[in-house]
Amino acid sequence: MEHPIVAFGTTERPRLSVYRSSKHIYAQIIDDYAGKTLASVATTAGEVRGELRNGGNIAAAKQAGKAIAEKAKQIGVTKVAFDRGGRKYHGRVKALADAAREGGLQF
């Protein structure tokens, strides 16, 4: 079953899309009008996960949130539309969102 797109990304306010699997969490900043991914992070990458052994927990989601906020700053994005991918806003999705907000993203 496909999840509906909750938000739509524009050039001024791209979409922050979050996908979580049982073992990892992924985040992308997407300009839907241009059809381009502007930045992405995943806990499958060692530089995002750091010293954490597991990519599927709240600590790893926080690391991914910090990393996507940092990448957003580098490309000049400060405001995003949050797309939780049909998932409930709690647990790892909430942890990633909170860390991204602490990193400077507004949504």
Side-chain angles (χ1 to χ4, degrees), residues 11-91:
T11 305
E12 298 81 29
R13 194 177 188 108
R15 175 168 53 109
L16 172 58
S17 175
V18 176
Y19 172 75
R20 70 168 183 84
S21 68
S22 61
K23 294 185 179 187
H24 295 284
I25 193 159
Y26 309 82
Q28 293 181 319
I29 296 178
I30 303 166
D31 179 352
D32 287 314
Y33 281 120
K36 294 172 89 175
T37 297
L38 306 174
S40 64
V41 298
T43 56
T44 56
E47 68 268 5
V48 173
R49 194 169 63 213
E51 297 297 316
L52 300 173
R53 295 182 66 189
N54 184 353
N57 57 23
I58 288 177
K62 287 179 183 178
Q63 290 292 99
K66 289 177 189 174
I68 197 69
E70 190 61 38
K71 284 195 175 189
K73 279 184 195 174
Q74 291 172 3
I75 60 172
V77 173
T78 57
K79 293 183 178 182
V80 295
F82 189 65
D83 176 11
R84 55 190 167 79
R87 301 284 187 172
K88 289 183 179 179
Y89 185 79
H90 74 98

